[in-house]
Amino acid sequence: MIATITQQDAATELVANYLNTIKNQGFTGDTDASYATRLTASTDNSIYQQLPQGVIFPKSEKDIQIALQTASHDPFLSLTFGPRGGGTGTNGQSLTPGIVVDLSRYMREILEINVEEGWVRVQTGVIKDQLNDFLKPYGFFFSPDLSTSNRATIGGMISTDASGQGSLVYGKTSDHVLGLTTYLVDGTAMSTSPIDIEKAKIIADQDTLIGQIYKTVLDISISERDAILAKFPRLNRFLTGYDLEHVLSEDLQTFDMSRLITGSEGSLGIVTEAKLNLTPIAEFKTLINIKYDSFDSALRHSPFLVDARATSVETVDSKVLNLAREDIIWHSVSDLITDVPNKDMQGLNMVEFNAVSPQDIKDKVDTLCKLLDECVENQTNGVIGYQLTSDKSDILKIYAMRKKSVGLLGNVKGSQKPLAFAEDTAVPPENLADYIVEFRALLDSHNLQYGMFGHVDAGVLHVRPALDMCDPEQEKLLRTISDEVVKLTAKYGGLMWGEHGKGYRSEYGPEFFGEHLFTQLRKIKSVFDPNNKINPGKICTPIESKDSLVSVDGQKRSYFDKQISIDVKTSFNNAMTCNGNGLCFNYDENSPMCPSYKVTGDRRNSPKGRAGLMREWLRLQESKDVNLLEVEKELNKGEVITWWERFVHSREKNKGVYDFSHEVKASMDECLACKACTTACPIKVDVPTFRARFLNYYHSYYARPLKDYLVGNIENSAPLMAKFARIINPIVKTSLVSSIIKKTVGYVDTPQLSIPALGKRINKAQKFDLNLLKKLSADEQNEYVLIVQDPFTSFYEAELVESFITLITQLGKKPMLLPFKPNGKPQHVKGFLHEFKVTAKNAAEFLNQLNEINAPLVGLDASLVMCYRDEYNTILENNRGDFHVLLAHEWLETQSFKKLTAKQNLNTEFTLLSHCTETTALPKAASVWKTIFDELGLTLNITNTGCCGMAGTYGHEAQNQDNSRSLYDMSWKPIVDKYKPEQLLSTGFSCRSQVKRFEKFKPKHPIELLANVLSS
């Protein structure tokens, strides 16, 4: 059996007292010292792992002031802090052994916009895409770009002076900061903005902490001006650290402390508010995708493209392109980046032009296209072709692919994964091609694979060598390569940290700056933070401090992963491979991933959070000498411990006895099992699968709630209840029975069974007859469509199955309803894996019999059909067989609707709201429905939605009511409210049920509409 896992690395008594103290002093945000929360904050998008002592989530500047002021007095003087935003940093900037100050949960308000003056004021927990979505109606955007823009915060961008695509034109974050509010180590608020240098000197004469800071920074920036200008590279990128060059204007008449704080990686204070300047949105855009015969050709051609007055030039190599081709994202761009016949595309430059007038952009594009045509015709510069698009939505799709490619690199097969540690080198653009030749030679000399992409217009290329960090020799290689890359970038006049900040690479700072200038940086740290309390170890340490800088040799995630056996790591690959890219934190409410994170704002309830908790649970179980795979084999054979042992363990749980398994279970309970992560995540983290396995383990040790048995047996009970629907329905609807079910089972809003039942709606010819089918020829069999039943539509929405039978008939085919066979999906969701295996085996045996019949198997519910394809493969392995069940739209796509016409001329425009499982697993589903409607002269609009909040039985469980309703209100309700009920169509049974319970009407499935309006 599994083991009880006692408290691990508990927060110190000092930290616990501190968290209680700030609460008593008026801290209104959340404080958390649980192991699960600290684990979730122990990683970011880097290779490092550092467990903090606690996490606080302030709701206001006053909260931050209370937190810092309290820590400035005994007994809390030894406490340290690390500010954190989106946690998307690739070099561990937000990792700390102290207390994490996470601004991303609550401090996400856009406070003020001034359109006339072109600025906006925001809290620093605001997400970059959130800000731009707010600004778009005003005709502006915040222009520094980055691949993690849908989850990276403004505070994080300020911390690293972030920039990305288009930086040649739009600059860095620091170029757009008009003012900052920063809370210093003692809780003092400091507001900074450009001021006359004489005013700065007056402030410097004041006997205050802020006065001392101004005096030190002024003295150093003026007295060391020549040394600063000589050392700081002339690059489009800033080196991160303390920007002593730009704190003064070129004429030395303006002083701006904000430039020093921007890029300081949270080591000088906690930035809570920012005033940012805005860039007008260029109305006209064109993107040219130029294809090359080699990556080197793409690199060497880039200066020519910059000279063409492009807004940006982005490049990707063939490895990145090929990974994108294998991902769900490629379907959206496949017609925009096509292969060149008889040519091998090994590199791609994406060249964007922006302009305020159509003629301006036309002249630039026409000039470049003419030159590209000559290159293709004369076979020069490695150009083999190009494609052009001026459609803004298509341009966004291409950039979405480019952004996701960053994460896709982590999904390569094998134990060696491309890692971010030397991934943001910057050299003068004219040196880039030669520099990359040497960089590639360096990596090739170590026989490493790697992917490359980046901003060639700025001389920045992201290179991620593939290493297995669980291999001690390859871990040493990381240090070797890091040292060599530092030397190589210096040779070409560049930086190792050109875009993503120093973080754990801070150890290279002294060598880069030299002893004298680095001492000046330490003086600045000393005046801001003399006791090294704010993000210690990053950038530099105070002048008197004996503390060390963090190092590339710092503790890594692999230190813990090594402690898990290879067999277990391989078996739980869908959790182990998470690299922390954080796409599951996508703020977009109309994105399917991840609903439980979106509604709770708790990163434990995200795929990244759950993967991290699962990894730690596996490690700790193995540390107790538990053979997890053997235990699982026994469980899946039905061999479990006695009910008495489970009772005893559960009694201990109810008494409050700690077990880390309970923290993991709490996170898993919030999962809707929607499976969005299995395809939307670039790494393909599969929470529903490892969640089911965890629940299987957990409930072999602890008793299950009654509702689990209700849900797990729904496929066995529904056929029986359907026979007595006329009796059961009115009883279940009574308030007394509803109340009893809610209190005893934890189940609400029980759906009504179909009346009349499905069996009463079909005729004899439509009932299953295997003997008849076997007697038919292959051509005759092909006239039939075999309908695979599911418990939801068959017993609670029989009218949909009836409509499908009608539609099949209208298409000239013969429908045949298969006998109901439990699918097992509800069992899998609740972790009844032994029972699920039995159910899957029985269903597979039956469906494999029909595999010999030359007739398609078609199901109506996406989640159950996908279960045949995914979960059956996992649980049955080689015994699954070859049967294949189509979804209705997949079969309808193969049919001709030319002979069918609408009974009446419908002017209604319909809107389709898709099931989230369909949206992520089968991204073309909505477009298939649109094509069918187009063929019939009907108008179908497609809209993007997130999760409706029902997700099978999740929305019926009493404990989930608030989250279920919030998810519906977040994404679905605004769309539902825009249309009349008869205009709305939905493909998901859960989705239709959710709308019905909140809006008192049920949208039709597209099949119901088609069956109703068509005639042959």
Side-chain angles (χ1 to χ4, degrees):
M1 70 176 76
I2 62 171
T4 299
I5 301 173
T6 55
Q7 186 72 52
Q8 301 293 310
D9 294 314
T12 64
E13 184 177 351
L14 179 66
V15 169
N17 290 339
Y18 169 77
L19 297 180
N20 287 330
T21 300
I22 63 173
K23 273 294 188 183
N24 292 335
Q25 292 183 354
F27 185 91
T28 61
D30 303 335
T31 63
D32 198 336
S34 69
Y35 191 46
T37 292
R38 292 187 294 127
L39 268 175
T40 303
S42 70
T43 60
D44 56 2
N45 194 12
S46 73
I47 57 178
Y48 302 100
Q49 181 162 339
Q50 176 66 66
L51 187 72
Q53 282 288 299
V55 185
I56 61 175
F57 303 90
K59 288 185 175 180
S60 66
E61 291 183 335
K62 182 66 175 175
D63 279 351
I64 292 174
Q65 189 172 52
I66 289 171
L68 293 173
Q69 284 178 344
T70 302
S72 297
H73 300 91
D74 274 332
F76 305 121
L77 288 171
S78 63
L79 296 181
T80 62
F81 297 86
R84 185 179 179 109
T88 58
T90 56
N91 293 287
Q93 286 93 332
S94 64
L95 305 186
T96 178
I99 294 172
V100 172
V101 184
D102 190 329
L103 284 77
S104 70
R105 181 177 290 184
Y106 295 121
M107 297 190 68
R108 290 177 54 174
E109 295 296 318
I110 298 171
L111 302 170
E112 183 182 5
I113 182 172
N114 189 312
V115 174
E116 290 74 22
E117 297 179 11
W119 55 261
V120 67
R121 190 165 58 88
V122 302
Q123 292 181 319
T124 50
V126 166
I127 292 169
K128 202 264 187 181
D129 280 0
Q130 172 197 356
L131 176 58
N132 278 343
D133 285 346
F134 169 82
L135 295 172
K136 189 175 181 179
Y138 296 98
F140 291 101
F141 75 118
F142 182 56
S143 54
D145 198 16
L146 59 168
S147 66
T148 55
S149 59
N150 61 17
R151 63 261 197 209
T153 63
I154 298 299
M157 294 180 70
I158 291 168
S159 171
T160 57
D161 197 9
S163 61
Q165 177 203 338
S167 63
L168 206 61
V169 173
Y170 298 128
K172 311 174 293 294
T173 297
S174 57
D175 297 317
H176 300 272
V177 172
L178 300 177
L180 298 174
T181 298
T182 305
Y183 278 78
L184 304 175
V185 68
D186 67 346
T188 299
M190 182 172 71
S191 296
T192 56
S193 60
I195 57 175
D196 184 84
I197 196 165
E198 295 304 319
K199 183 177 180 181
K201 289 177 180 178
I202 293 172
I203 296 173
D205 287 337
Q206 298 174 2
D207 188 19
T208 62
L209 175 58
I210 292 177
Q212 293 168 17
I213 288 171
Y214 269 70
K215 184 178 190 311
T216 301
V217 175
L218 270 170
D219 288 348
I220 293 174
S221 59
I222 293 173
S223 64
E224 302 292 340
R225 185 71 175 171
D226 291 341
I228 291 166
L229 293 176
K231 172 51 68 175
F232 285 32
R234 305 298 97 194
L235 289 171
N236 173 255
R237 294 295 193 269
F238 174 51
L239 64 166
T240 75
Y242 306 141
D243 191 355
L244 292 168
E245 176 179 349
H246 296 105
V247 75
L248 294 172
S249 60
E250 289 187 14
D251 61 6
L252 306 184
Q253 296 305 302
T254 302
F255 179 86
D256 186 4
M257 187 72 78
S258 297
R259 292 299 293 246
L260 191 83
I261 295 168
T262 304
S264 64
E265 300 193 8
S267 65
L268 300 179
I270 298 176
V271 181
T272 61
E273 192 177 297
K275 181 180 178 183
L276 309 168
N277 74 10
L278 304 176
T279 304
I281 296 173
E283 185 176 351
F284 301 96
K285 293 178 181 285
T286 295
L287 185 68
I288 305 176
N289 294 312
I290 309 175
K291 306 163 189 180
Y292 296 88
D293 60 3
S294 71
F295 189 55
D296 186 66
S297 295
L299 292 175
R300 294 191 181 280
H301 200 219
S302 59
F304 165 80
L305 302 174
V306 173
D307 291 342
R309 296 177 295 159
T311 304
S312 68
V313 183
E314 299 285 295
T315 190
V316 293
D317 70 1
S318 58
K319 179 178 283 291
V320 174
L321 280 173
N322 290 335
L323 285 169
R325 290 177 195 273
E326 298 171 6
D327 186 75
I328 186 176
I329 195 78
W330 190 256
H331 85 275
S332 64
V333 299
S334 57
D335 58 337
L336 303 172
I337 308 174
T338 58
D339 286 324
V340 179
N342 303 316
K343 299 286 184 180
D344 186 14
M345 180 168 55
Q346 290 292 313
L348 181 75
N349 275 333
M350 296 177 285
V351 185
E352 182 179 333
F353 292 95
N354 290 346
V356 294
S357 72
Q359 190 57 48
D360 182 28
I361 201 166
K362 184 178 185 301
D363 291 343
K364 293 177 181 177
V365 170
D366 287 350
T367 300
L368 179 57
C369 287
K370 182 179 179 182
L371 295 171
L372 291 174
D373 287 334
E374 293 174 1
C375 288
V376 173
E377 183 177 351
N378 300 324
Q379 299 185 20
T380 57
N381 296 311
V383 178
I384 59 175
Y386 67 92
Q387 282 177 266
L388 178 151
T389 180
S390 297
D391 184 283
K392 291 180 183 177
S393 64
D394 284 344
I395 293 172
L396 287 175
K397 290 175 186 176
I398 292 170
Y399 283 138
M401 180 275 293
R402 152 69 178 81
K403 288 182 176 183
K404 193 174 183 183
S405 296
V406 180
L408 289 174
L409 277 170
N411 197 36
V412 297
K413 302 294 188 291
S415 58
Q416 292 182 317
K417 303 293 183 182
L419 302 178
F421 65 93
E423 84 291 352
D424 59 332
T425 60
V427 299
E430 62 272 16
N431 296 342
L432 183 62
D434 290 334
Y435 162 73
I436 289 299
V437 168
E438 285 203 49
F439 198 160
R440 296 179 83 167
L442 164 62
L443 298 178
D444 291 342
S445 71
H446 294 291
N447 298 312
L448 294 177
Q449 298 294 314
Y450 46 87
M452 292 187 173
F453 57 96
H455 324 292
V456 289
D457 51 354
V460 176
L461 208 63
H462 303 304
V463 184
R464 297 196 172 183
L467 294 169
D468 178 3
M469 295 304 290
C470 288
D471 180 340
E473 293 305 312
Q474 292 190 53
E475 185 176 1
K476 292 176 185 175
L477 195 54
L478 183 142
R479 155 63 70 180
T480 300
I481 292 171
S482 296
D483 290 346
E484 291 177 344
V485 169
V486 169
K487 295 174 184 176
L488 186 61
T489 51
K491 173 182 175 180
Y492 282 93
L495 296 163
M496 182 191 190
W497 46 88
E499 189 167 283
H500 298 158
K502 286 195 185 73
Y504 275 69
R505 302 179 294 187
S506 292
E507 64 168 295
Y508 294 112
E511 179 183 348
F512 175 81
F513 287 104
E515 182 178 356
H516 180 70
L517 267 187
F518 193 71
T519 299
Q520 308 312 307
L521 298 187
R522 296 187 70 189
K523 289 178 182 178
I524 289 171
K525 174 70 172 175
S526 296
V527 71
F528 271 90
D529 181 21
N531 296 314
N532 205 24
K533 290 171 67 71
I534 306 294
N535 217 9
K538 312 292 170 54
I539 306 296
C540 65
T541 57
I543 199 75
E544 301 295 334
S545 174
K546 303 299 182 184
D547 295 337
S548 300
L549 291 170
V550 290
S551 163
V552 296
D553 296 325
Q555 183 173 265
K556 301 173 181 66
R557 282 181 288 167
S558 59
Y559 170 80
F560 302 97
D561 291 347
K562 289 174 189 174
Q563 300 171 41
I564 305 172
S565 66
I566 293 175
D567 287 345
V568 169
K569 279 192 291 190
T570 302
S571 181
F572 284 89
N573 187 58
N574 47 26
M576 296 298 303
T577 53
C578 176
N579 65 358
N581 73 83
L583 186 57
C584 46
F585 303 146
N586 184 352
Y587 107 97
D588 184 2
E589 294 175 347
N590 291 324
S591 166
M593 187 174 70
C594 162
S596 57
Y597 170 67
K598 282 183 172 68
V599 76
T600 64
D602 190 329
R603 296 187 186 237
R604 288 174 296 184
N605 301 331
S606 68
K608 178 181 184 287
R610 293 186 179 107
L613 294 178
M614 192 68 192
R615 290 159 90 147
E616 181 66 356
W617 187 81
L618 295 172
R619 183 183 76 85
L620 293 173
Q621 286 291 336
E622 291 213 305
S623 74
K624 297 281 189 178
D625 295 323
V626 175
N627 189 327
L628 286 167
L629 299 185
E630 284 302 315
V631 170
E632 187 174 44
K633 284 180 183 177
E634 293 173 4
L635 293 177
N636 290 348
K637 290 176 183 176
E639 299 172 12
V640 297
I641 64 174
T642 65
W643 68 269
W644 175 253
E645 289 174 292
R646 284 201 302 275
F647 171 77
V648 171
H649 297 152
S650 299
R651 186 174 58 185
E652 293 295 300
K653 172 186 174 182
N654 294 334
K655 287 180 180 178
V657 175
Y658 180 83
D659 183 349
F660 176 59
S661 297
H662 303 326
E663 292 197 64
V664 182
K665 170 70 159 44
S667 170
M668 300 300 179
D669 281 346
E670 294 292 341
C671 176
L672 284 75
C674 67
K675 299 198 70 173
C677 53
T678 62
T679 48
C681 169
I683 310 301
K684 308 298 183 285
V685 167
D686 183 354
V687 175
T689 296
F690 68 71
R691 171 184 180 268
R693 295 177 72 180
F694 171 79
L695 293 177
N696 191 33
Y697 283 120
Y698 183 86
H699 287 301
S700 71
Y701 200 74
Y702 295 103
R704 286 182 176 275
L706 185 58
K707 65 178 172 58
D708 279 17
Y709 293 100
L710 175 70
V711 173
N713 286 285
I714 188 68
E715 292 187 291
N716 295 319
S717 60
L720 180 62
M721 291 191 297
K723 295 178 180 179
F724 304 98
R726 294 185 186 277
I727 299 173
I728 292 174
N729 281 350
I731 293 175
V732 169
K733 283 180 69 176
T734 64
S735 58
L736 175 62
V737 173
S738 296
S739 177
I740 292 172
I741 293 173
K742 180 178 180 179
K743 290 178 180 177
T744 58
V745 182
Y747 204 75
V748 301
D749 298 328
T750 305
Q752 295 281 285
L753 295 154
S754 294
I755 300 176
L758 181 57
K760 301 286 181 65
R761 297 173 185 250
I762 63 174
N763 59 46
K764 185 177 180 181
Q766 294 163 351
K767 293 182 178 179
F768 179 63
D769 188 337
L770 182 58
N771 291 329
L772 170 65
L773 291 172
K774 286 183 175 180
K775 292 175 183 177
L776 301 176
S777 67
D779 288 342
E780 290 171 325
Q781 289 174 347
N782 195 38
E783 292 301 308
Y784 281 84
V785 176
L786 307 182
I787 303 172
V788 181
Q789 295 193 61
D790 66 82
F792 306 116
T793 59
S794 288
F795 303 115
Y796 296 97
E797 210 173 43
E799 64 273 14
L800 172 57
V801 185
E802 183 180 18
S803 293
F804 190 40
I805 289 171
T806 300
L807 183 58
I808 292 169
T809 305
Q810 289 170 330
L811 287 165
K813 299 292 185 177
K814 299 176 181 179
M816 184 175 283
L817 188 68
L818 299 184
F820 175 73
K821 296 285 185 181
N823 167 282
K825 176 70 173 180
Q827 295 170 329
H828 185 272
V829 167
K830 292 300 181 183
F832 289 99
L833 294 191
H834 167 62
E835 294 81 354
F836 174 61
K837 187 171 185 177
V838 173
T839 300
K841 181 174 179 291
N842 291 336
E845 286 176 354
F846 172 70
L847 294 172
N848 277 312
Q849 290 181 46
L850 302 175
N851 208 37
E852 301 173 4
I853 306 297
N854 187 32
L857 299 168
V858 184
L860 291 171
D861 186 85
S863 59
L864 272 74
V865 169
M866 296 313 296
C867 183
Y868 290 129
R869 300 182 189 182
D870 297 338
E871 285 83 352
Y872 273 39
N873 276 325
T874 302
I875 199 76
L876 298 178
E877 298 177 320
N878 296 331
N879 296 318
R880 181 204 177 273
D882 299 324
F883 75 89
H884 183 63
V885 181
L886 298 170
L887 269 168
H889 77 270
E890 293 176 312
W891 176 73
L892 290 170
E893 186 180 19
T894 67
Q895 303 303 300
S896 174
F897 285 79
K898 293 179 180 177
K899 296 180 181 179
L900 300 176
T901 56
K903 291 178 182 176
Q904 65 248 8
N905 186 16
L906 290 181
N907 294 320
T908 304
E909 288 193 7
F910 300 98
T911 295
L912 179 67
L913 293 90
S914 297
H915 190 291
C916 52
T917 297
E918 255 182 4
T919 300
T920 53
L922 304 167
K924 291 186 177 180
S927 61
V928 171
W929 287 116
K930 180 171 176 56
T931 300
I932 292 170
F933 273 57
D934 288 345
E935 283 187 39
L936 296 167
L938 302 173
T939 301
L940 181 68
N941 298 315
I942 297 170
T943 185
N944 293 325
T945 58
C947 178
C948 72
M950 178 57 78
T953 60
Y954 175 90
H956 288 298
E957 296 182 30
Q959 69 190 42
N960 301 326
Q961 289 312 290
D962 289 344
N963 286 351
S964 179
R965 180 70 202 228
S966 295
L967 281 168
Y968 177 79
D969 290 345
M970 186 186 297
S971 180
W972 276 60
K973 186 171 178 57
I975 298 170
V976 171
D977 286 348
K978 284 172 59 178
Y979 300 98
K980 297 176 182 177
E982 61 270 19
Q983 290 181 280
L984 290 171
L985 304 173
S986 177
T987 55
F989 170 79
S990 299
C991 311
R992 295 190 296 275
S993 300
Q994 184 80 318
V995 174
K996 182 179 180 181
R997 74 167 175 163
F998 292 139
E999 308 296 345
K1000 309 308 177 189
F1001 77 88
K1002 180 183 273 191
K1004 283 183 166 56
H1005 191 289
I1007 285 172
E1008 293 178 274
L1009 179 79
L1010 294 175
N1012 188 45
V1013 304
L1014 294 181
S1015 62
S1016 56

